[in-house]
Structures are given as C-alpha cells and as structure tokens.
C-alpha cells in the first residue's frame, strides 16, 4: 500500500508537470499610462480640490476650476498639462516658501512598460512630494484629486481609468522636535502626512481562454521618503519624497490544475499518516 500511494502521488505530479509543459507561453502586456492632478474644482468620491489656512483659526478654501491661483481662488498653482487628461496637470505648488523659489508641491510621472504574467511588481508611475518648509500662515494643500489612465496597447487594446482623492496635513515645523510621534520618522522636524481614498481597482480579464488579474499598489520606504500604513502616507520633511505606483499581472490557476494539486497534497497527507 505504501508503494502504491507513492506511485499515485508521482503520477499526479507528472500530470501537473505535463499540463504545465503543454500550456501557452506566459502572457506579456505592453502598457502606457497618463496621470494628472485635477484642477477642475469637482468632487470625486468625497474629495474636491481644497486648501487650508491656519492662523489661530483654520479656514478651508474650496477651489474653483482653473490652473492658476487667480482662476481657482484657493492658492494652488497647477502647471505642465497631463497628456490626454482634461484639466489635468503633472505638477501643483502651494504655500509661501521659507526659502525663495522652493515651493512645496506634488509631481506625477507616468511610465510605459511591460507586465509579464506572475513576474512581480512593475513601476507604472511615481508621485514626488516636494516637502518644503513654508512660512507661518501659508495656505497649504488640504485635498486634491489624481486622475490616472492605464492603457493596454499589446497584444490587445483596452483602457481603464479612475480618479482617487488625497487629503494632506502640513504639520507645524517645530525646531525643537516636538512632533507627533505617530507621524515622525525622519531626522528633520516635523514630517507631514497624506490620506488616500484608494488605488485603482484590480482589472480582471480573459485572454486566449486564460483568466488574469492586473493588481495595483503604492510602494515606498524610509529611503524613498514615504512610509505607507494602509491609507496613511507619511512623508519626510524638507526633502523630495518619492512614492511609486506599481502594477503586476497575475494568472488565475485553472480549476483542473487546482484540483490535481489538491489531490496530490491529499495523497501526500495520507501517505504520511500510514508510514
């Protein structure tokens, strides 16, 4: 009986290997992206462009549509139009900088590339927070929307797009280092933080009879200047901090393959019990 079970497990293993060898080559997708900060003054999922002013009392300003401070009336300056996104810009500045010309702001870079099935995460974009010290009483960012477009251009053509919101808190730049211990992680007081409404939802599709999922995530670490904890993004003070938007292509196992693997594991378990 022992040898019979061993033969059955070996046969099941061979079946899995044979099925794998007969499968098509791993899918490879070529993609293009475009993203921009929206200066349209509109609300998406509860987030709309806003700034805040703290001078004893906090005042929040709702931004009208427009890229310039004069047009939007809230103190944001948008520039560098994003490709193919109406009222979208790749950079936005705010505040009265402590050092002339060194504005706090956000930049978004969009990347094109290739996703290989089950090959890991690939950068599709990079958000840079130019975290600069601003003068007391400055108008700073409160909320903003980012619109992103993800295009598959080969071996087939498809497009997905979404808008997601961020909120931002500019902390007091305390020279004595009395910062919020739950936020501070860098050596320069005091670090700031973002909250984000979410990231693009997974894209599910079938190609040549196989099911796949494209997943997205945000990635950063202390070296890049961003720490990510769920939807809280901590960002180091007085530096350029990079947050990466990443995607990966995951193949969904076929039910028959799962069943065969499950039988193999069951037989191994039975074999151990009888030895």
């Amino acid at each position: 009986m022992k040898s019979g079970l061993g033969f059955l497990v070996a046969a099941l293993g061979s079946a899995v290997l044979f099925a794998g060898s007969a499968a098509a080559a791993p899918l490879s997708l070529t993609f293009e992206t475009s993203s921009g900060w929206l200066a349209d003054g509109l609300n998406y999922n509860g987030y709309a462009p806003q700034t805040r002013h703290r001078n004893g009392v906090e005042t929040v300003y709702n931004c009208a549509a427009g890229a310039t401070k004069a047009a939007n009336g809230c103190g944001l300056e948008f520039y560098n139009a994003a490709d193919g996104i109406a009222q979208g810009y790749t950079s936005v500045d705010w505040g009265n900088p402590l050092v002339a010309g060194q504005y706090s702001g956000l930049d978004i870079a969009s990347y094109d590339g290739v996703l290989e099935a089950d090959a890991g995460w690939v950068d599709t974009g990079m958000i840079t927070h130019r975290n600069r010290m601003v003068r007391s009483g400055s108008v700073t960012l409160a909320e903003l929307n980012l619109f992103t477009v993800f295009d598959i251009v080969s071996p087939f053509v498809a497009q997905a797009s979404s808008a997601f919101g961020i909120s931002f808190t500019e902390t007091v730049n305390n020279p004595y280092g009395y910062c919020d211990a739950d936020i501070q992680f860098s050596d320069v007081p005091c670090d700031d933080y973002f909250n984000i409404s979410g990231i693009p939802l997974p894209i599910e599709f079938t190609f040549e009879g196989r099911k796949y999922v494209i997943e997205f995530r945000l990635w950063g670490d202390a070296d890049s200047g961003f720490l990510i904890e769920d939807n809280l993004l901590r960002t180091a003070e007085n530096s350029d901090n990079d947050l990466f938007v990443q995607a990966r292509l995951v193949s969904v196992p076929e039910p028959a393959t799962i069943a065969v693997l499950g039988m193999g594991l069951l037989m191994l378990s039975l074999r151990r019990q009888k030895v």
Side-chain angles (χ1 to χ4, degrees):
M1 187 66 179
K2 178 179 175 182
S3 60
L5 280 172
F7 174 78
L8 180 56
V9 171
L12 287 169
S14 298
V16 174
L17 290 174
F18 177 77
S21 63
L27 178 62
S28 175
L29 296 181
T30 302
F31 68 87
E32 297 177 354
T33 67
S34 181
S35 297
W37 308 106
L38 294 179
D40 55 8
L42 299 179
N43 182 305
Y44 295 91
N45 300 318
Y47 289 78
Q50 293 180 338
T51 55
R52 66 167 56 92
H53 176 256
R54 289 172 173 164
N55 192 9
V57 177
E58 179 175 300
T59 303
V60 174
Y61 300 96
N62 294 316
C63 302
T68 65
K69 296 176 182 179
N72 57 52
C74 67
L76 295 180
E77 192 75 25
F78 296 84
Y79 52 101
N80 297 330
D83 184 29
I85 299 176
Q87 296 277 9
Y89 297 84
T90 62
S91 296
V92 57
D93 292 349
W94 63 82
N96 183 9
L98 196 63
V99 178
Q102 294 188 12
Y103 286 93
S104 289
L106 288 168
D107 305 312
I108 178 74
S110 301
Y111 300 153
D112 303 334
V114 176
L115 295 178
E116 301 281 354
D118 306 315
W121 294 99
V122 175
D123 294 342
T124 63
M126 182 178 71
I127 297 171
T128 298
H129 177 210
R130 291 174 276 109
N131 196 349
R132 300 288 182 262
M133 294 184 179
V134 297
R135 295 185 183 277
S136 178
S138 287
V139 172
T140 62
L141 178 68
E143 291 185 0
L144 193 60
N145 287 304
L146 177 66
F147 192 87
T148 184
V149 179
F150 184 88
D151 287 313
I152 299 172
V153 296
S154 177
F156 57 90
V157 177
Q159 184 180 88
S161 60
S162 63
F164 55 94
I166 64 169
S167 63
F168 174 68
T169 299
E170 179 88 46
T171 59
V172 176
N173 298 317
N174 192 322
Y176 303 104
Y178 298 124
C179 306
D180 187 337
D182 292 331
I183 300 300
Q184 189 68 27
F185 69 95
S186 77
D187 296 329
V188 180
C190 289
D191 296 339
D192 301 323
Y193 61 94
F194 294 89
N195 290 98
I196 190 166
S197 67
I199 57 176
L201 295 174
I203 301 170
E204 300 180 0
F205 65 94
T206 300
F207 181 71
E208 294 184 346
R210 292 289 306 274
K211 292 183 179 180
Y212 298 90
V213 178
I214 301 175
E215 299 175 337
F216 298 91
R217 74 172 184 181
L218 299 175
W219 183 88
D221 60 17
D223 291 335
S224 72
F226 266 100
L227 286 185
I228 304 172
E229 298 171 354
D230 296 323
N231 288 347
L232 175 68
L233 314 177
R234 295 188 284 161
T235 171
E237 182 65 30
N238 204 33
S239 61
D240 289 347
N241 307 313
D242 296 328
L243 177 69
F244 295 90
V245 184
Q246 297 183 323
R248 68 178 177 181
L249 176 62
V250 180
S251 60
V252 179
E254 298 177 8
T257 301
I258 296 174
V260 169
L261 289 172
M263 289 177 63
L265 293 173
L266 175 62
M267 293 302 102
L268 283 172
S269 176
L270 290 173
R271 182 182 182 186
R272 291 193 184 99
Q273 292 176 15
K274 290 182 177 292
V275 172

